[in-house]
Amino acid sequence: ATKTATFIKGDRVAQLTVGDPQVKLNGVALPTDKGAELKDGRTYVSLSAAGVALGAVASWDNATKTATLTVK
C-alpha cells in the first residue's frame, strides 16, 4: 500500500508519498528537499515541502532557531 499525505488549499491538491522526494501539485510533480517519512506511526513532512504544497515560502532564522511558513 502507498502511504500518502494530502494537503488541500482551495484549488490546490498536493500529495506527498513516503519515500518519494517530490510533491505532486494538482498532478504535476515538483521536486522538494525531502518527501514524507514515517516515524513512530506518524507521517512527517518537511516545512519546505509543506510550503510547496500550500503555495507558501518556508524560511529559517538561525539566530532565533525559528522556522516560518509564509502563505503568499
Side-chain angles (χ1 to χ4, degrees), residues 1-5 15-24 30-39 42-46 49:
T2 302
K3 298 190 181 347
T4 303
Q15 294 180 309
L16 293 100
T17 301
V18 172
D20 183 355
Q22 297 180 355
V23 171
K24 288 190 180 149
L30 303 172
T32 65
D33 63 334
K34 191 176 195 180
E37 63 182 57
L38 290 177
K39 183 177 180 183
R42 294 183 185 251
T43 303
Y44 290 88
V45 176
S46 72

Side-chain angles (χ1 to χ4, degrees), residues 10-70:
D11 61 352
R12 297 173 73 94
V13 177
Q15 294 180 309
L16 293 100
T17 301
V18 172
D20 183 355
Q22 297 180 355
V23 171
K24 288 190 180 149
L25 181 59
N26 295 339
V28 177
L30 303 172
T32 65
D33 63 334
K34 191 176 195 180
E37 63 182 57
L38 290 177
K39 183 177 180 183
D40 299 327
R42 294 183 185 251
T43 303
Y44 290 88
V45 176
S46 72
L47 193 59
S48 62
V52 170
L54 299 172
V57 176
S59 61
W60 174 255
D61 183 334
N62 200 44
T64 61
K65 306 292 188 218
T66 304
T68 304
L69 192 63
T70 306

